[in-house]
Amino acid sequence: MTDPTLLRAGQLLTVQLLAAGRPVSGAAVTARADGDGHPVMGRTDATGHVTLPIDRDGAWLVRTVHMVSGAQAGVPDVDWDSYWATFAFHTAGY
């Protein structure tokens, strides 16, 4: 939702998490600046959106994991099916 290539420290990044074209609500999303041990975390709302504060310049990695039961995924012999999503970007001031 936010173009990460235009971000500067102190601005907000909003992303939307979709699975099979539908919003994923309640998913934990973590963003971490390169070389910094303090992650920024949030949970998606009912529309799959989460907004995270980008509090410093540098390289960032945003990630999440979406888990569904095997029955929901159409794979009855599997307990859980996991979908991983990541993306990386640099703030504009970097």
Side-chain angles (χ1 to χ4, degrees):
M1 308 311 310
T2 305
D3 182 348
T5 64
L6 302 177
L7 285 175
R8 295 198 181 277
Q11 295 182 320
L12 300 174
L13 170 70
T14 300
V15 297
Q16 184 180 33
L17 181 61
L18 303 172
R22 297 183 180 186
V24 176
S25 65
V29 178
T30 304
R32 185 181 306 265
D34 186 35
D36 189 346
H38 299 94
V40 175
M41 301 168 67
R43 287 204 175 266
T44 57
D45 64 15
T47 65
H49 291 91
V50 63
T51 298
L52 304 169
I54 302 304
D55 58 2
R56 54 201 165 277
D57 285 327
W60 283 82
L61 179 67
V62 180
R63 62 185 178 166
T64 190
V65 178
H66 175 59
M67 303 287 293
V68 295
S69 71
Q72 289 174 317
V75 189
D77 294 335
V78 172
D79 291 331
W80 292 98
D81 204 3
S82 61
Y83 300 89
W84 298 67
T86 60
F87 79 91
F89 66 94
H90 287 96
T91 58
Y94 187 72

